[in-house]
Amino acid sequence: MADRDALLELAVSIARETGEMLLAKRPARPEVLATKSSPTDVVTALDRAAEELIRARIRQARPQDAILGEEGGETPGLSGPSGEGAPGPSGANHVKWVVDPIDGTVNFLYGLPDWAVSIAVEVDGEIVAGVVHNVPRGEIFTAVRGGGAWLAGERLRCNTGVPLARALVATGFGYGAERRRVQAEVLAQVVPNVRDIRRAGSCAVDLCSVAAGRVDAYYERGTNYWDWAAAGLIAAEAGARFAGLNGKPASPELTLSAAPGLFEELHDLLAPLDPERG
């Protein structure tokens, strides 16, 4: 059986090394190599360098594991008869690492303080360990399934007993103009019903903020698996619900997280607004 604590220890070590590399090499204005979904959806040279470092360290330690990364896509492990997602040595689990080398690249580009290295470990299709390293703030959030969420040796607990009207809600916006228009329409209906809105610019940081009680809830359309694989586990292990709309799991269609009670209130506010459109 895969040792979850050992997997987390490796993930933390890699995330820490990657963060140190990014701080050391980040120029005053990082080079934009390419754009993805729109001209505002950027990739920097250091996004790719960070993912290459993470992949190299995983390969050195666990060559049998698969890796899914935002920049490099999915690659199979190096062992197993099929060479594609097959288990490693007899009796071993299928392990896949889910990597976002810089979650919050626009923040990284502009020198804003909320961007993170996110590494999750999936065993037999279930996320069992995760780390989110908010590099500028020097914060390392961790979780092992069933073992709680942690920051600096303190167990995290999300805020509970907060009604929707007093909830501080984090959200984010997509890169396409039409999606932004729809998100603005939805937000206009959310704002009068909550305490206030916060926009950090990183899905992973927002979910860790739910876990740490820095915000009460989070929702967003358009996030990807690597954005929330680690942070979703951290939020859940801190007591928050983490899911999509109408009983669906979290997905690019919508990701929603809050303590039980508030989760349902926010869900019921969002669902009639059809936030998955656009």
Side-chain angles (χ1 to χ4, degrees):
M1 296 291 292
D3 184 332
R4 298 178 178 188
D5 291 329
L7 291 170
L8 178 63
E9 183 178 357
L10 177 59
V12 169
S13 174
I14 295 171
R16 193 187 301 274
E17 180 184 359
T18 304
E20 290 170 354
M21 181 275 286
L22 288 167
L23 285 179
K25 293 190 174 182
R26 185 190 179 278
R29 184 54 59 94
E31 175 190 2
V32 175
L33 286 185
T35 59
K36 294 185 282 189
S37 61
S38 80
T40 57
D41 186 7
V42 299
V43 179
T44 71
L46 285 172
D47 281 275
R48 294 182 179 174
E51 184 164 318
E52 288 169 3
L53 174 60
I54 294 167
R55 286 175 177 271
R57 294 293 181 262
I58 294 169
R59 285 280 181 253
Q60 288 170 4
R62 297 184 58 89
Q64 72 274 18
D65 294 350
I67 303 172
L68 171 64
E70 180 178 14
E71 308 305 333
E74 185 162 357
T75 55
L78 300 183
S79 64
S82 75
E84 186 173 348
S90 177
N93 303 101
H94 173 52
V95 178
K96 179 164 70 178
W97 297 71
V98 184
V99 174
D100 191 342
I102 305 177
D103 187 62
T105 298
V106 172
N107 285 351
F108 177 78
L109 182 67
Y110 279 83
L112 294 170
D114 284 315
W115 52 269
V117 178
S118 175
I119 304 175
V121 190
E122 179 188 293
V123 177
D124 295 335
E126 179 182 62
I127 296 294
V128 301
V131 55
V132 173
H133 183 191
N134 186 331
V135 179
R137 299 188 188 277
E139 294 182 329
I140 297 179
F141 297 84
T142 63
V144 169
R145 186 168 296 278
W150 300 83
L151 172 64
E154 294 189 10
R155 187 161 186 168
L156 300 177
R157 302 286 187 185
C158 69
N159 294 334
T160 58
V162 179
L164 183 64
R166 294 206 299 271
L168 185 61
V169 179
T171 192
F173 305 98
Y175 292 105
E178 176 59 20
R179 177 163 294 177
R180 286 173 179 264
R181 183 188 66 76
V182 171
Q183 288 173 320
E185 290 177 359
V186 172
L187 184 64
Q189 300 302 310
V190 172
V191 169
N193 291 286
V194 301
R195 181 190 295 273
D196 206 347
I197 296 291
R198 290 294 179 267
R199 158 68 162 162
S202 163
C203 168
V205 171
D206 281 338
L207 283 166
C208 289
S209 293
V210 171
R214 295 172 180 174
V215 298
D216 300 304
Y218 163 77
Y219 79 92
E220 187 170 354
R221 169 157 164 73
T223 58
N224 292 298
Y225 187 36
W226 46 74
D227 297 317
W228 47 257
L233 177 65
I234 291 166
E237 286 294 323
R241 285 196 62 187
F242 174 71
L245 284 183
N246 301 314
K248 294 182 290 188
S251 75
E253 298 306 309
L254 197 80
T255 302
L256 174 62
S257 186
L262 178 57
F263 180 98
E264 288 76 15
E265 283 195 82
L266 182 57
H267 174 281
D268 292 348
L269 173 63
L270 290 169
L273 302 175
D274 191 15
E276 297 178 335
R277 62 194 161 96

